[in-house]
Amino acid sequence: MTRVSEHLNQALHDLMESDPSVHLLGEDVSDPYGGAFKVTRGLSGRFGSRVRSTPLSEGAIAGVGAGLALAGDKAIVEIMFADFVALAFDQITNFAAKSTSMYGRPVPVPLVVRCPTGGNRGYGPTHSQNPQKHFIGVPGLSLFEMTPFHDAGELFSRMFGLGRPCLFFEDKVLYTRQMYRTDDLFRFELVDDVARVYLDGAGRPDCTLVTHGGLVHRTLDAMRALLLEDDLICELLVPAQLYPVPHLPGLEDAPHVCVVDDGTEGGTWAAEVATALYPRLWGRLRRPITLINSADGVIPAAPHLEREVLVQADSIRAAVREALS
């Protein structure tokens, strides 16, 4: 089976081979290093000057990528750790995103900014964050996240096809997981580009969980425990597109909805999902949508303290049990 990092690497190879207008920029993306998480391994040897290792300046990297996109090419920019995308905030939100519409006519800006996210690796406060929420609601900007159920090549084609800059989040622990595999109790299918993970033949679930790619396996662990220890059946929906929030299928008959988000509390992606769902489900919900987030605090490096801050399977299970009690 192929790991997510290997799958992403192959998708980049295939993309750059099929489309000579694609450039890739980032810190240490060239061989022999091949990127901090080896996702860009082998690209510089095959595609030469179209792959550029850059100075340590996220603003410059994003700005050059946006310039390439405005000039008619396509650019993939790698931010070594998603935490550092804050240094490129101005170029992404005030230059790249606004360039799609501020010149009096629609202008395509095919730019993808890759952002390795998340904790549970002991990297500490400034290398472990999930900054998705800071980019929600920016006009002209779309947010996507890698999942173990979505083909990365199709996602790159979809993002470039939008003609607008996209942030593409990739959880660092997810890199080590295998593609297209779930817990042995569950099956998955793609419905309208949203992955649905379900217990075959179980009927209507007690709760439908919605989460992003980096939390899939922790959520599956919680679903397993809820089933085997609490006799509660859950389904899981995993969209690859985070914002604008896509249509999430099969919720009309859900007794309860719980949105799980690895970002810290306050102004979250989970809240954005709930906002999108309430008008659609208001007359059917038995109780308010449950939001689960990481704690409002910095992320420690020590593993036992890191677990207390970040969303874990046991915290998901506890929140679902409380909501359904």
Side-chain angles (χ1 to χ4, degrees), residues 56-120:
L56 304 181
S57 175
E58 284 74 17
I61 302 167
V64 170
L68 284 166
L70 273 172
D73 286 326
K74 302 181 182 74
I76 298 174
V77 166
E78 178 179 301
I79 306 296
M80 186 178 286
F81 287 82
D83 313 64
F84 308 153
V85 75
L87 297 166
F89 192 86
D90 181 63
Q91 288 290 343
I92 293 169
T93 63
N94 281 330
F95 176 40
K98 288 181 174 60
S99 291
T100 61
S101 59
M102 70 179 181
Y103 299 122
R105 59 181 176 85
V107 176
V109 183
L111 170 69
V112 174
V113 181
R114 294 182 43 243
C115 300
T117 60
N120 291 298

Side-chain angles (χ1 to χ4, degrees), residues 24-324:
L24 188 142
L25 311 170
E27 298 163 7
D28 295 325
V29 295
S30 299
D31 292 328
Y33 197 60
F37 303 99
K38 311 311 172 192
V39 174
T40 59
R41 178 180 286 164
L43 292 171
S44 63
R46 289 187 66 190
F47 303 109
S49 62
R50 289 167 56 201
V51 179
R52 297 271 185 171
S53 285
T54 65
L56 304 181
S57 175
E58 284 74 17
I61 302 167
V64 170
L68 284 166
L70 273 172
D73 286 326
K74 302 181 182 74
I76 298 174
V77 166
E78 178 179 301
I79 306 296
M80 186 178 286
F81 287 82
D83 313 64
F84 308 153
V85 75
L87 297 166
F89 192 86
D90 181 63
Q91 288 290 343
I92 293 169
T93 63
N94 281 330
F95 176 40
K98 288 181 174 60
S99 291
T100 61
S101 59
M102 70 179 181
Y103 299 122
R105 59 181 176 85
V107 176
V109 183
L111 170 69
V112 174
V113 181
R114 294 182 43 243
C115 300
T117 60
N120 291 298
R121 293 186 67 146
Y123 290 166
T126 62
H127 293 69
S128 305
Q129 297 170 88
N130 286 275
Q132 292 91 327
K133 68 179 184 179
H134 301 298
F135 295 91
I136 290 173
V138 176
L141 184 66
S142 294
L143 277 60
F144 287 77
E145 182 161 341
M146 185 62 197
T147 89
F149 309 121
H150 291 82
D151 181 85
E154 294 178 2
L155 291 180
F156 282 123
S157 296
R158 183 175 167 192
M159 288 186 283
F160 279 137
L162 292 174
R164 58 193 290 175
C166 297
L167 293 181
F168 187 41
F169 299 98
E170 305 164 6
D171 185 85
K172 298 190 288 290
V173 173
L174 186 65
Y175 283 149
T176 68
R177 300 286 193 160
Q178 293 182 339
M179 289 293 299
Y180 309 120
R181 287 192 64 180
T182 64
D183 184 289
D184 56 4
L185 287 174
F186 302 102
R187 298 186 179 185
F188 85 92
E189 62 180 355
L190 289 180
V191 182
D192 299 328
D193 291 327
V194 176
R196 172 181 173 250
V197 185
Y198 61 97
L199 184 67
D200 195 26
R204 189 176 72 169
D206 298 295
C207 179
T208 299
L209 298 158
V210 182
T211 196
H212 53 93
L215 270 170
V216 163
H217 294 93
R218 280 172 275 171
T219 306
L220 285 174
D221 289 343
M223 289 170 60
R224 183 184 185 92
L226 286 162
L227 176 65
L228 298 181
E229 300 178 34
D230 303 304
D231 200 27
L232 293 172
I233 298 171
C234 295
E235 278 192 4
L236 173 63
L237 299 179
V238 187
Q241 180 176 310
L242 302 184
Y243 184 83
V245 176
H247 177 78
L248 297 172
L251 290 174
E252 279 69 23
D253 294 326
H256 185 54
V257 177
C258 178
V259 189
V260 191
D261 175 3
D262 218 12
T264 54
E265 296 174 351
T268 63
W269 174 73
E272 186 69 20
V273 173
T275 298
L277 291 179
Y278 271 126
R280 173 182 161 196
L281 304 177
W282 186 257
R284 301 181 177 93
L285 290 172
R286 298 180 183 176
R287 55 184 63 84
I289 294 172
T290 298
L291 307 183
I292 302 174
N293 283 93
S294 295
D296 181 13
V298 299
I299 301 169
H304 66 290
L305 297 175
E306 187 179 37
R307 284 185 54 83
E308 294 180 6
V309 173
L310 298 174
V311 174
Q312 304 296 340
D314 53 1
S315 58
I316 299 171
R317 179 189 174 196
V320 173
R321 290 175 61 186
E322 180 180 356
L324 296 179

